[in-house]
Amino acid sequence: VKVAGWFARAFFAVRPAGRGVPRSNVLDQLHDPLDRERDMRIHVGGDHAAFETQQAIVDFLTAEGHDVVNHGPTEYDAEDDYPVFVLRAAEAVRDDADSLGFVLGGSGNGEQMAANKVEGIRAALCLTPEFASLAREHNGAQIASIGGRFVTIEQAKEIAELRRRRGPATKHGASQIKGEVVAFPRRR
């Protein structure tokens, strides 16, 4: 049984060794609260510029037990461009309240901008695991945009792992900030 570090510290700090409930009865029923989003639905879309990275993320998240929906492309085509695939993924995240998404392209900039065109979606450019974590926790982003030309496949997997393990935005008034941004009228 894998013991979550936070639980082990809390449990054994208040219960001396040899006391309390046997480990097998308690620990078998517990899980790390940061891992509450395992087995979740994750939508992915991109284009030819990050095709290899996209496929690696799809394979990685599928192997982790998630329900991954690949909105394309499903095969490499140098003529593919991101809008159709990214918009499909962003709309799916919007329509599936408890899901997350990843959109990928050469830099990730255009993909992020396209995803943000979908009402109700907050997408953030995530070129490092720290950006991904902050975007989710502090800004409530549902979609991480990854630039395949700037992020290695291993870094992309690390971003995907962090994103799926982090809970909804709770720090620094992220919900309030999100509300203020959404309520702000568009200026021309």
Side-chain angles (χ1 to χ4, degrees):
V1 173
K2 180 180 172 186
V3 178
W6 68 269
F7 175 76
R9 285 188 302 276
F11 184 76
F12 295 112
V14 296
R15 297 195 195 310
R19 289 189 172 178
V21 181
R23 292 176 68 131
S24 61
N25 292 344
V26 173
L27 298 179
D28 290 343
Q29 300 172 24
L30 296 175
H31 65 279
D32 184 340
L34 292 180
D35 202 24
R36 68 183 165 272
E37 294 188 19
R38 62 181 155 199
D39 306 328
M40 68 184 313
R41 180 165 295 132
I42 300 173
H43 298 276
V44 181
D47 78 356
H48 66 278
F51 181 77
E52 186 178 338
T53 304
Q54 178 180 336
Q55 296 311 306
I57 286 179
V58 168
D59 293 343
F60 171 72
L61 292 170
T62 301
E64 290 287 308
H66 299 290
D67 179 10
V68 180
V69 180
N70 186 354
H71 294 274
T74 56
E75 59 185 47
Y76 180 80
D77 181 350
E79 300 299 315
D80 278 342
D81 211 355
Y82 65 84
V84 66
F85 305 117
V86 167
L87 292 171
R88 284 181 193 159
E91 289 174 332
V93 170
R94 178 200 60 206
D95 296 341
D96 188 358
D98 293 328
S99 67
L100 291 177
F102 294 94
V103 295
L104 299 94
S107 70
N109 279 315
E111 293 74 19
Q112 174 211 1
M113 288 185 240
N116 278 321
K117 292 284 188 180
V118 176
E119 189 172 342
I121 288 297
R122 292 176 64 87
L125 182 61
C126 299
L127 297 180
T128 68
E130 184 178 24
F131 278 22
S133 182
L134 291 171
R136 178 90 165 121
E137 293 177 8
H138 293 255
N139 302 110
Q142 307 111 305
I143 295 178
S145 183
I146 299 173
R149 293 184 182 130
F150 298 94
V151 174
T152 67
I153 288 176
E154 288 308 310
Q155 289 170 324
K157 288 179 183 178
E158 189 176 348
I159 289 168
E161 176 67 12
L162 274 174
R163 294 275 307 163
R164 72 117 187 136
R165 288 180 60 90
R166 296 294 185 223
T170 56
K171 295 185 179 178
H172 302 289
S175 296
Q176 178 184 346
I177 292 168
K178 180 180 176 182
E180 291 171 1
V181 170
V182 170
F184 192 80
R186 291 189 179 260
R187 293 191 175 170
R188 299 202 186 251

